[in-house]
Amino acid sequence: MLIKSAEHLWLYTLIMSTSVLLGQVCLLPQAFKSIKPCKFSKEDCIEHIKPLFVLSIAVIASTLYTVFDKTLLGWFFPDQKEQVAYYEYSYKIIQIPTSIIVVVGTVLFPRSCACYAKNDMEGMKKYFNLSIYFTFFIAFGAILGLIAVSDLFVVEYYGDAFAVCGNIIKCLSPIILILSLGEAIRTQYLIPMGKDMAYIIITAIIALLNIALSCILIPVIGIYGAIIGTVSAELVGTVSQTIVCRKNIDFKKMFLSMIPFVIAAGIMYGTIIFVQRWFNDSTIDLIIQIIIGGTVYVLVVIGLFLLRKDYRNNIINYVKKKLKKGNESKQEPLVEISIEESNEKKEVLENE
């Protein structure tokens, strides 16, 4: 409603920062309600300064190198500033499914820390496997789904001027799986197990590699140099984290659990490409394609899991348990207790 021209940049900045501020302030009432005031000493604060400082180095490095790609694009191509916008807006689309997956790591992180504190390695494996299944489910669906509809999506969402973003999204899409897998390993094993220095070293390597590849490739192939630098650096980072935690990860099980999602995503991609011949380039057609692709993907995943005897038995047992519990609750007789009933009968009913 308020941004009408380039002169309203200051107003746009104010709206963006105020919205973030309000979002954080809205959390405070719940925090005050849930957390009671407590006394703490100077020693309590000092104890946490070092780990906070150590982890903040990695966060700062990560933030800097992700921003540096755009800076280099603007630096090497001062007459083609639109390339920065193409890269920025393509990366924002990639971040949507990635953010959904990262939420799982955020939720399971304290559970993994608690399991490690109790030396419950089986518990850590359980939560890691849960996060991996969810990661593969979202990541493979998002990657092949975006590749299938990105050309039409960017035109409908950003406009004709951003049509080139379709190819950029296709090239960036593998980073969804790479980042998500790295996030799962980092939040489920690396940080809970206290491997903070390994985390910092890996982040530093990612940052240096990304900057080096970007400086070499951007002058030669432009925006695709930034893409190669980002994807390659993140892949090295995820592989490095995996190597550090290799003793705790069942690689065979992890790769086998990937197969159903790869097959389902491939079938979904083929279905979308097949039905596109009957659709025009419009928003409604885009929505229909997304619905068709999503439905096919979910149904194929469910079908493939039902083919496995262990999963099928787990699902059947779960459904039977729920049905049995529901029937038992319906069949419980209603007993009316009168004043004249004997004390003995009252005691029996109260115990029941």
Side-chain angles (χ1 to χ4, degrees):
M1 291 186 294
L2 301 176
I3 310 303
K4 303 297 181 182
S5 68
E7 283 116 23
H8 292 151
L9 177 61
W10 68 272
L11 187 57
Y12 174 77
T13 306
L14 180 64
I15 291 170
M16 295 298 289
S17 46
T18 304
S19 64
V20 175
L21 175 63
L22 291 175
Q24 301 302 320
V25 169
C26 288
L27 301 175
L28 293 178
Q30 184 64 33
F32 290 137
K33 181 181 177 182
S34 303
I35 304 170
K36 304 301 179 185
C38 60
K39 293 182 180 180
F40 55 90
S41 63
K42 182 174 71 174
E43 287 73 22
D44 294 325
C45 298
I46 293 172
E47 180 185 354
H48 297 288
I49 288 175
K50 183 181 177 181
L52 285 171
F53 178 72
V54 168
L55 291 177
S56 68
I57 294 172
V59 174
I60 293 168
S62 177
T63 304
L64 287 176
Y65 83 75
T66 51
V67 173
F68 206 67
D69 285 345
K70 290 168 276 188
T71 306
L72 286 174
L73 278 171
W75 187 19
F76 284 118
F77 299 97
D79 299 330
Q80 301 178 33
K81 297 290 186 182
E82 64 274 8
Q83 291 208 34
V84 179
Y86 295 152
Y87 184 83
E88 169 73 10
Y89 284 102
S90 298
Y91 201 86
K92 281 185 176 181
I93 298 300
I94 296 297
Q95 283 182 314
I96 295 171
T98 306
S99 300
I100 296 171
I101 301 171
V102 167
V103 169
V104 178
T106 305
V107 172
L108 293 179
F109 172 64
R111 292 180 179 271
S112 297
C113 292
C115 288
Y116 185 72
K118 298 173 184 175
N119 200 26
D120 181 11
M121 302 310 294
E122 288 301 317
M124 293 186 75
K125 285 182 181 179
K126 173 188 171 184
Y127 291 122
F128 179 73
N129 290 333
L130 283 173
S131 64
I132 285 297
Y133 275 112
F134 186 80
T135 295
F136 288 157
F137 176 71
I138 299 294
F140 284 110
I143 291 170
L144 289 218
L146 280 172
I147 291 174
V149 302
S150 59
D151 290 330
L152 176 57
F153 176 80
V154 294
V155 172
E156 293 299 315
Y157 190 68
Y158 288 138
D160 292 332
F162 286 84
V164 69
C165 289
N167 290 329
I168 298 171
I169 289 174
K170 291 175 185 177
C171 296
L172 276 173
S173 60
I175 211 170
I176 297 172
L177 177 62
I178 296 168
L179 281 175
S180 303
L181 198 55
E183 178 70 15
I185 295 170
R186 182 165 57 253
T187 56
Q188 305 302 302
Y189 281 123
L190 198 65
I191 299 178
M193 294 172 68
K195 299 179 183 292
D196 296 348
M197 286 308 301
Y199 176 40
I200 291 175
I201 292 169
I202 290 169
T203 306
I205 292 171
I206 295 172
L208 292 172
L209 181 62
N210 192 0
I211 292 170
L213 288 174
S214 296
C215 289
I216 295 169
L217 297 174
I218 287 176
V220 180
I221 53 179
I223 195 169
Y224 293 99
I227 294 170
I228 293 172
T230 299
V231 174
S232 301
E234 294 293 352
L235 180 60
V236 169
T238 298
V239 171
S240 301
Q241 290 180 157
T242 307
I243 292 171
V244 172
C245 303
R246 63 189 180 279
K247 293 181 180 179
N248 305 100
I249 299 173
D250 186 345
F251 290 99
K252 182 180 178 180
K253 186 174 182 179
M254 188 172 73
F255 285 113
L256 286 175
S257 64
M258 187 189 300
I259 294 172
F261 303 107
V262 174
I263 295 172
I267 294 172
M268 175 197 68
Y269 175 79
T271 303
I272 294 174
I273 297 300
F274 179 75
V275 300
Q276 278 179 349
R277 66 183 72 184
W278 289 291
F279 290 99
N280 299 316
D281 295 342
S282 68
T283 304
I284 298 298
D285 293 334
L286 173 64
I287 293 171
I288 294 172
Q289 289 178 42
I290 293 172
I291 292 172
I292 292 172
T295 304
V296 168
Y297 181 64
V298 171
L299 291 176
V300 174
V301 167
I302 293 172
L304 290 172
F305 273 94
L306 287 175
L307 289 175
R308 289 185 56 171
K309 187 177 179 180
D310 51 344
Y311 287 109
R312 186 168 65 249
N313 290 338
N314 287 337
I315 293 170
I316 292 170
N317 291 334
Y318 177 79
V319 173
K320 284 182 177 178
K321 186 178 177 181
K322 287 292 183 182
L323 290 174
K324 184 178 179 182
K325 188 176 180 181
N327 291 332
E328 287 177 353
S329 63
K330 289 179 182 178
Q331 291 172 3
E332 286 180 359
L334 296 174
V335 181
E336 293 183 3
I337 302 174
S338 63
I339 301 172
E340 293 79 20
E341 285 179 315
S342 65
N343 291 332
E344 184 180 350
K345 192 173 181 180
K346 282 184 180 180
E347 288 177 4
V348 172
L349 289 170
E350 284 172 359
N351 290 333
E352 288 177 349

